[in-house]
Amino acid sequence: MPLFEYYCSDCKARFELLVSHKHADDVVCMKCHSEKVRRLLSVFASPRGAGEDYSFDGAADAEGGCGCGGGSCGCH
Ligand SMILES: [Zn+2]
């Protein structure tokens, strides 16, 4: 499920929520339960292959996946 970030215009809260696309627009504020929330750009909004984001994600995966920095742990 994608992680979405929401902003509540009633209490000015920002929160993140894992929600399926089907319910992405049915979210209420986690603090005040207002329906006046709007969805911000998702952390994972950019699909892989979208230019700069791709190379950044790739580097993060390679270095953050196992902590070995590449090659010595057998996970590559
Ligand atoms: Zn709120």
Side-chain angles (χ1 to χ4, degrees), residues 58-76:
D61 285 345
E63 292 176 9
C66 68
C68 74
S72 60
C73 72
C75 72
H76 293 285

Side-chain angles (χ1 to χ4, degrees), residues 43-63:
V43 177
F44 301 112
S46 303
R48 294 206 158 236
E52 300 142 16
D53 285 337
Y54 176 75
S55 57
F56 178 81
D57 285 341
D61 285 345
E63 292 176 9

